[in-house]
Amino acid sequence: MDRRNCLQLMAATGCSAIGLPVCAANSERLRIGLTAVILADQVAFLSRCGRYLSERVGCEVSFVARESYQSILELLASDQIDVAWICGYPFVRDEANLSLFAVPLYQDKPEYQSYLIRPKAAKNPVKGWADLRGKVLAYSDPLSNSGWLVAQVQLAKVHLRSRDLKRTFFAHGHRNVAEAVAARLADVGAIDGYVWETMRLQGMAAVAQTEVVWRSDFFGFPPLVTNQGSNHPYAPGLQSALLTMHQDETGRELLRALNLTGFTKGSASMFDSIRRQAQTVPGSGVAA
């Protein structure tokens, strides 16, 4: 069993990512839902991070991993998790029911870019969105800003529709997008620029075999959210632990592993650009 499947098994069976028994009472634990972490040793990392946060919060902090944002949101809506690390797009789509909990800082800013990537040394390489006619495009997730929504806006700008492409498919994860493009299963991929850059820093082969064709403007970084009106007794402690991680060496080490520099409380206005572009995409679920 590989590490990813091991993590999913632990999540599905209710095992804690930090190797401790799950508390019976929900008020005595905090469960953070997230999609795949972009690390080769994600199980070990989540174990370290869980221990670190548990010590500072005063209750068990565990992680629940799923493959899609939709699955994470369903867990949050049914109170099977307490905090969800999602994307800015599903946040603006359902912000009436969600509250910002914390926003990661990438290079000291709560923002990131979307990339369009292609294989290196490709024959007849794509040079931009206008070249996608008859090509295969890999998306990340139907609820991803950088991995789907941005692409819809850019395709519309060059007067292309999905039917004008040879094929599109969801790779279910930004790392999987890079790997699909590297393997030439897709001519191009819509990917989170932060993920691609982090994979590059870690020396991952998929990034060494791909290159960036296009970069978007900046968007609000994928946030951590809770249900609107959530009042978990340990939530303030978790939020404080995240906001102060950069102040001690262990916290900084964990942040460096994720290529982050800290967390901020954030504000809904950080996601205005995502909200505006979603309003231009039919079927986005965000009203104009």
Side-chain angles (χ1 to χ4, degrees):
M1 181 181 295
D2 62 25
R3 291 176 183 270
R4 182 178 179 182
N5 288 336
C6 181
L7 179 61
Q8 291 170 346
L9 178 61
M10 289 196 299
T13 57
C15 294
S16 164
I18 61 173
L20 298 174
V22 175
C23 298
N26 289 347
S27 63
E28 296 176 359
R29 60 174 174 166
L30 277 162
R31 301 152 299 177
I32 303 173
L34 73 173
T35 52
V37 178
I38 29 164
L39 299 173
D41 64 340
Q42 64 178 12
V43 173
F45 172 80
L46 291 177
S47 177
R48 295 194 304 273
C49 193
R51 287 194 298 270
Y52 172 87
L53 292 173
S54 297
E55 290 170 0
R56 282 152 183 79
V57 176
C59 78
E60 179 196 348
V61 177
S62 61
F63 293 92
V64 177
R66 292 292 186 270
E67 288 192 351
S68 69
Y69 289 127
Q70 183 60 41
S71 295
I72 293 299
L73 288 165
E74 289 171 359
L75 291 177
L76 184 66
S78 60
D79 293 322
Q80 294 182 65
I81 58 174
D82 307 294
V83 180
W85 193 350
I86 60 171
C87 182
Y89 169 35
F91 170 68
V92 301
R93 197 185 70 156
D94 198 29
E95 60 186 315
N97 298 311
L98 299 173
S99 295
L100 280 179
F101 189 74
V103 181
L105 298 175
Y106 171 49
Q107 297 179 343
D108 296 320
K109 297 179 181 179
E111 57 189 27
Y112 77 118
Q113 293 170 287
S114 176
Y115 287 1
L116 183 69
I117 61 172
R118 68 186 182 197
K120 282 187 176 177
K123 293 181 180 179
N124 303 315
V126 167
K127 298 179 181 178
W129 292 98
D131 297 331
L132 264 60
R133 186 180 298 274
K135 302 295 186 181
V136 178
L137 169 60
Y139 295 126
S140 172
D141 184 291
L143 289 180
S144 171
N145 173 56
S146 57
W148 183 80
L149 186 65
V150 169
Q152 307 316 300
V153 174
Q154 295 305 315
L155 288 171
K157 285 183 177 180
V158 296
H159 308 291
L160 288 177
R161 301 180 183 180
S162 292
R163 67 188 184 195
D164 298 317
L165 280 62
K166 182 177 181 179
R167 187 165 67 96
T168 64
F169 66 90
F170 288 101
H172 301 291
H174 292 288
R175 179 174 174 177
N176 295 340
V177 169
E179 291 176 350
V181 175
R184 302 185 185 239
L185 299 174
D187 298 299
V188 286
I191 191 171
D192 182 323
Y194 152 76
V195 172
W196 191 90
E197 295 292 352
T198 301
M199 291 175 67
R200 182 179 62 83
L201 288 176
Q202 294 174 4
M204 293 187 177
V207 169
Q209 297 167 24
T210 59
E211 58 189 358
V212 179
V213 178
W214 173 90
R215 293 173 171 84
S216 73
D217 293 332
F218 287 92
F219 298 104
F221 202 94
L224 280 77
V225 301
T226 60
N227 286 320
Q228 190 75 256
S230 173
N231 59 354
H232 193 293
Y234 287 97
L238 176 61
Q239 186 181 57
S240 177
L242 292 173
L243 296 178
T244 58
M245 280 185 76
H246 65 285
Q247 296 179 4
D248 65 83
E249 184 52 40
T250 302
R252 287 191 293 271
E253 180 184 346
L254 292 167
L255 289 168
R256 282 195 296 269
L258 289 175
N259 194 23
L260 298 174
T261 52
F263 287 88
T264 183
K265 285 186 178 180
S267 65
S269 63
M270 290 179 176
F271 305 93
D272 284 349
S273 59
I274 297 177
R275 186 179 299 103
R276 286 193 297 269
Q277 73 171 2
Q279 290 169 343
T280 71
V281 176
S284 71
V286 179

